Amino acid sequence: MSGGSPPAAGLAAGAADPCVHCGFCLPTCASYRVLGTEMDSPRGRIHMLKAIEAGELSLDATVASHFDSCLGCFACVSACPSGVRYDQLIEEARPRLNAAELRSPWQQSLRRLLLALLPYPQRLRALLQPMRLYSGSGLQRLVRGRGLMRLFGPELTALEALLPPLAAEGFQDSWPVVAPAEGPRRHRVGLVLGCVQRSFDPAVNRAVLAVLNANGIEVVIPPQQGCCGAVSHHQGAMEQTRSLAGDLVAAFDAVLGPGRPAGPEPLDAVLVAASGCGHTLKSYDRLIGRSFAAPVADVHEFLDRVGLSAAFRQRLRPLAAPDGAPATAEAPRAVAYHDACHMIHGQGLQAEPRRLLSAIPHLQLREAVEAGVCCGSAGIYNLVQPREAEELGRLKAADLRGTGAELIASANIGCTLQLRRHLEPSEGAMVRHPMELLALSAGLLPA
Ligand code: SF4
Ligand code: SF4
């Protein structure tokens, strides 16, 4: 593992220098939490990066495995008092980890397959279509109940366990190019649908659109939009990421302008309701040297900034309990907001979604003890590192369950699938997107 290799030029690029090895980042690190070894902590990885750069350590399969165990959650960046940008370090390191000799043929094939499917909604849907008969069926209950997937290994077990019920709506993109505001128009925005979100939880985008329109916000939805590149970005597949990012910017350009379907009026922002996507979308200038004509914002960030309209606030009603009884001041509806890593650590957004949820009458926010620790989803981490992800998912589910909340608000599709997997099946419906809760409260979605 040590010595012999040429210096890994650019791997750390001096960004590791501020690290004083204090270890303040260790308690927040999800991989250190479950693996417990220094090499699987931020401090250990920074040490390895420095050693690689100095030519004292080879980037071999063992060393690479300690970088693969990193979730890219960036909790260490938030925790570091010295301002070490571990996010930049791991982003630089990841493309090098994709070298063929650093992973087993099975791991390489699995990653290649996932990157060839997940960012392409049409391919994903073609694969999922036959799975519709299976998801939610008695056969699936039998397979899960008997643990039959364990015969196929931990990765495929995780894949099956994360598969949600597949709604027909997730197999089509029947969105208007321009969805007009209700009442006087306050703003005009674009909406990125997300590739995984639109297939696996299509109700979220429906809720986002309804909430935005009801707040006097016109929404432009380019029909040819694909993936933003977040999945491949997270894996260090930079060529694919740049290609997807360029295509998405072009999809917006294709509908905006004189004589085009959405017309020439500029957008105030380009919004997204999946925080993993938002983090990558906000990096376009750095990744591809250009971006949209309007700034990117998470939907919570934008709505919090412009404020819910008076008309929308008047529509808000207490959320009903499962038995249909509305929440009251004496018996409020308890909701735990789950902080997605790419929202809290990646974009610095923590108060915004909580403020929006607090607009719902008789909603009581509860806080998880370890709100800043990753749930184990982390892009495709829970498929390629299933053991670590399973442990983190169990810890997160226990933490959220410990709040006593009846509902969990999750603003990232990956986290939502991970949380639904690790909460008891009967608790699965507890996890909803904050925009769904706002839409339900405003009577914009059926209860
Ligand atoms: S990354 Fe920051 S918090 Fe972690 S050991 Fe280095 S200086 Fe300390
Ligand atoms: S990104 Fe997350 S998992 Fe990776 S070193 Fe930082 S805290 Fe640990």
Side-chain angles (χ1 to χ4, degrees):
M1 195 170 99
S2 64
S5 70
L11 193 61
D17 293 348
C19 180
V20 294
H21 307 289
C22 63
F24 284 177
C25 52
L26 266 62
T28 67
C29 175
S31 59
Y32 184 69
R33 170 72 58 91
V34 293
L35 294 167
T37 50
E38 178 73 12
M39 304 277 264
D40 295 296
S41 77
R43 184 174 62 185
R45 295 188 183 106
I46 289 167
H47 187 75
M48 288 190 289
L49 287 170
K50 285 181 169 176
I52 290 169
E53 196 170 60
E56 296 162 1
L57 183 69
S58 305
L59 179 56
D60 61 13
T62 305
V63 173
S65 72
H66 294 295
F67 289 103
D68 274 345
S69 68
C70 170
L71 293 103
C73 67
F74 309 147
C76 50
V77 180
S78 298
C80 178
S82 301
V84 174
R85 291 299 303 268
Y86 178 87
D87 52 339
Q88 295 173 1
L89 293 168
I90 194 73
E91 184 174 286
E92 277 185 29
R94 281 229 152 98
R96 288 174 54 89
L97 301 175
N98 291 329
E101 68 276 12
L102 297 181
R103 295 191 183 114
S104 69
W106 161 240
Q107 270 289 334
Q108 284 179 51
S109 305
L110 179 64
R111 284 165 194 264
R112 260 203 299 270
L113 179 71
L114 293 170
L115 290 186
L117 278 176
L118 293 177
Y120 305 97
Q122 299 317 326
R123 293 183 202 169
L124 184 62
R125 286 167 172 168
L127 182 86
L128 290 175
Q129 194 60 258
M131 300 297 286
R132 288 190 62 199
L133 292 173
Y134 171 76
S135 80
S137 70
L139 178 61
Q140 187 182 45
R141 282 190 290 279
L142 181 76
V143 166
R144 290 185 177 182
R146 299 257 168 100
L148 297 178
M149 281 307 293
R150 304 219 175 264
L151 298 171
F152 300 97
E155 290 87 358
L156 295 182
T157 303
L159 193 59
E160 195 283 334
L162 287 162
L163 185 70
L166 298 167
E169 193 185 354
F171 289 81
Q172 60 210 9
D173 285 323
S174 51
W175 306 96
V177 177
V178 180
E182 280 179 33
R185 193 179 84 181
R186 298 165 65 212
H187 297 281
R188 177 169 143 100
V189 300
L191 183 64
V192 174
L193 298 168
C195 51
V196 175
Q197 178 165 278
R198 81 176 83 162
S199 297
F200 285 143
D201 206 353
V204 171
N205 283 325
R206 193 155 34 91
V208 170
L209 189 58
V211 169
L212 290 173
N213 287 163
N215 275 281
I217 300 169
E218 182 173 283
V219 183
V220 173
I221 308 174
Q224 298 305 323
Q225 59 175 294
C227 173
C228 68
V231 178
S232 50
H233 182 205
H234 206 252
Q235 291 303 309
M238 300 313 290
E239 201 177 319
Q240 183 181 17
T241 303
R242 291 189 188 102
S243 166
L244 290 166
D247 288 350
L248 186 58
V249 173
F252 275 76
D253 289 345
V255 298
L256 290 160
R260 295 186 181 149
E265 287 182 86
L267 302 177
D268 298 322
V270 171
L271 304 185
V272 66
S275 51
C277 306
H279 181 256
T280 294
L281 287 162
K282 287 181 176 178
S283 307
Y284 273 13
D285 272 329
R286 187 169 49 76
L287 291 172
I288 59 170
R290 65 198 173 104
S291 189
F292 305 97
V296 173
D298 181 90
V299 67
H300 306 86
E301 180 182 12
F302 183 80
L303 267 178
D304 182 64
R305 190 190 309 146
V306 302
L308 298 173
S309 69
F312 184 79
R313 284 183 182 276
Q314 280 172 9
R315 297 176 73 146
L316 294 174
R317 300 285 176 270
L319 294 171
D323 65 2
T328 62
E330 296 71 34
R333 201 83 210 274
V335 176
Y337 173 76
H338 162 70
D339 287 287
C341 296
H342 282 90
M343 184 88 103
I344 181 171
H345 305 303
Q347 300 179 67
L349 302 173
Q350 188 173 17
E352 292 82 350
R354 286 175 170 84
R355 271 197 294 266
L356 291 175
L357 285 170
S358 297
I360 298 175
H362 305 319
L363 183 146
Q364 182 186 68
L365 279 175
R366 302 253 175 104
E367 294 297 331
V369 176
E370 297 190 300
V373 177
C374 184
C375 67
S377 168
I380 61 170
Y381 187 93
N382 51 1
L383 300 174
V384 297
Q385 301 277 141
R387 292 186 183 88
E388 295 86 344
E390 191 167 346
E391 181 62 15
L392 288 165
R394 272 201 294 265
L395 289 170
K396 181 60 74 177
D399 193 7
L400 288 167
R401 201 180 291 115
T403 65
E406 307 146 88
L407 285 163
I408 289 154
S410 164
N412 188 46
I413 179 64
C415 307
T416 298
L417 296 177
Q418 172 83 339
L419 295 176
R420 285 180 179 157
R421 175 190 172 186
H422 288 283
L423 290 160
E424 295 302 315
S426 60
E427 299 169 306
M430 285 173 62
V431 187
R432 305 294 291 264
H433 195 284
M435 287 296 127
E436 286 184 280
L437 299 182
L438 278 171
L440 281 167
S441 172
L444 298 168
L445 287 183

Coordinates of all heavy atoms in Angstrom, one line a residue, residues 16 18-26 42-44 46 76-77 79-86, ligand 1:
A16 N -5.7 20.5 1.2 CA -5.7 19.8 2.5 C -4.8 20.5 3.5 O -4.8 20.2 4.7 CB -5.2 18.4 2.2
P18 N -4.8 23.3 5.3 CA -5.3 23.9 6.5 C -5.6 22.8 7.6 O -5.9 23.2 8.8 CB -6.6 24.6 6.1 CG -6.5 24.8 4.7 CD -5.7 23.6 4.2
C19 N -5.6 21.6 7.2 CA -6.0 20.5 8.2 C -5.0 20.5 9.3 O -3.8 20.2 9.0 CB -6.2 19.2 7.5 SG -6.7 17.9 8.7
V20 N -5.4 20.6 10.6 CA -4.5 20.5 11.7 C -4.7 19.2 12.5 O -4.2 19.1 13.6 CB -4.7 21.8 12.6 CG1 -4.2 23.0 11.9 CG2 -6.1 21.9 13.1
H21 N -5.4 18.3 11.9 CA -5.7 17.0 12.4 C -6.3 17.0 13.8 O -6.0 16.2 14.7 CB -4.3 16.2 12.5 CG -3.7 16.2 11.1 ND1 -4.1 15.4 10.1 CD2 -2.6 16.8 10.7 CE1 -3.4 15.6 9.0 NE2 -2.4 16.5 9.3
C22 N -7.2 18.0 14.0 CA -7.8 18.1 15.3 C -8.8 17.1 15.6 O -9.1 16.7 16.8 CB -8.5 19.5 15.5 SG -9.8 19.8 14.3
G23 N -9.5 16.5 14.6 CA -10.5 15.5 14.7 C -11.9 16.0 15.1 O -12.7 15.1 15.3
F24 N -12.1 17.3 15.0 CA -13.5 17.8 15.3 C -14.5 17.2 14.3 O -15.7 17.2 14.5 CB -13.5 19.3 15.2 CG -12.9 20.0 16.4 CD1 -12.8 21.4 16.5 CD2 -12.5 19.2 17.5 CE1 -12.3 22.0 17.6 CE2 -11.9 19.8 18.6 CZ -11.8 21.2 18.7
C25 N -14.0 16.9 13.1 CA -14.9 16.4 12.1 C -15.3 14.9 12.3 O -16.3 14.5 11.7 CB -14.2 16.5 10.7 SG -12.6 15.7 10.6
L26 N -14.6 14.2 13.1 CA -14.8 12.7 13.2 C -16.2 12.4 13.7 O -16.9 11.5 13.1 CB -13.8 12.1 14.1 CG -12.6 11.5 13.3 CD1 -11.8 12.6 12.5 CD2 -11.6 10.8 14.2
P42 N -12.7 11.7 7.7 CA -12.1 12.8 6.9 C -10.6 13.0 7.2 O -9.8 13.2 6.3 CB -13.0 14.0 7.4 CG -14.0 13.5 8.3 CD -13.8 12.1 8.6
R43 N -10.3 13.0 8.5 CA -8.9 13.3 8.8 C -8.0 12.2 8.2 O -6.9 12.5 7.7 CB -8.7 13.3 10.4 CG -7.3 13.6 10.8 CD -7.3 13.7 12.4 NE -7.6 12.5 13.0 CZ -7.8 12.4 14.4 NH1 -7.6 13.4 15.1 NH2 -8.1 11.2 14.9
G44 N -8.4 11.0 8.3 CA -7.6 9.9 7.7 C -7.5 10.0 6.2 O -6.4 9.8 5.6
I46 N -7.7 12.8 4.5 CA -6.9 13.9 4.1 C -5.4 13.5 4.3 O -4.6 13.9 3.5 CB -7.3 15.1 5.0 CG1 -8.6 15.7 4.6 CG2 -6.2 16.2 5.0 CD1 -9.3 16.6 5.6
C76 N -18.3 16.9 7.3 CA -17.0 17.3 7.8 C -16.7 18.7 7.4 O -16.0 19.4 8.2 CB -16.0 16.3 7.3 SG -16.0 16.1 5.5
V77 N -17.2 19.2 6.3 CA -16.9 20.6 5.9 C -17.6 21.5 6.9 O -17.1 22.5 7.3 CB -17.4 20.8 4.4 CG1 -17.2 22.2 4.0 CG2 -16.7 19.8 3.5
A79 N -18.3 20.9 9.9 CA -17.8 20.7 11.3 C -16.4 21.3 11.4 O -15.9 21.6 12.5 CB -17.7 19.3 11.7
C80 N -15.7 21.5 10.3 CA -14.2 21.8 10.4 C -14.0 23.3 10.8 O -14.4 24.2 10.1 CB -13.6 21.6 9.0 SG -11.8 22.0 9.1
P81 N -13.3 23.5 11.9 CA -13.0 24.9 12.3 C -11.9 25.6 11.5 O -11.7 26.8 11.6 CB -12.6 24.7 13.8 CG -12.1 23.4 13.9 CD -12.8 22.5 12.9
S82 N -11.2 24.8 10.8 CA -10.0 25.3 10.0 C -10.4 25.7 8.6 O -9.6 26.1 7.8 CB -8.9 24.4 10.0 OG -8.5 24.1 11.3
G83 N -11.6 25.4 8.2 CA -12.1 25.7 6.8 C -11.5 24.8 5.8 O -11.4 25.2 4.6
V84 N -11.2 23.5 6.1 CA -10.8 22.6 5.1 C -11.9 22.3 4.1 O -13.0 21.9 4.6 CB -10.2 21.3 5.7 CG1 -9.9 20.2 4.7 CG2 -9.0 21.6 6.6
R85 N -11.7 22.4 2.9 CA -12.8 22.1 1.9 C -12.6 20.7 1.4 O -12.2 20.4 0.3 CB -12.7 23.1 0.7 CG -13.0 24.5 1.1 CD -14.5 24.7 1.6 NE -15.4 24.2 0.6 CZ -16.0 24.9 -0.3 NH1 -15.8 26.2 -0.4 NH2 -16.9 24.4 -1.2
Y86 N -13.0 19.8 2.3 CA -13.0 18.3 1.9 C -13.8 18.1 0.7 O -13.5 17.2 -0.1 CB -13.4 17.5 3.1 CG -13.5 16.0 2.8 CD1 -12.3 15.3 3.0 CD2 -14.6 15.4 2.3 CE1 -12.3 13.9 2.7 CE2 -14.6 14.1 2.0 CZ -13.5 13.3 2.2 OH -13.5 12.0 1.9
Ligands
SF4_1 S1 -10.6 18.4 8.5 FE1 -10.8 20.1 9.9 S2 -11.9 19.2 11.6 FE2 -11.1 17.5 10.5 S3 -9.1 17.0 11.4 FE3 -8.7 18.5 9.7 S4 -8.8 20.5 10.7 FE4 -9.7 19.1 12.1

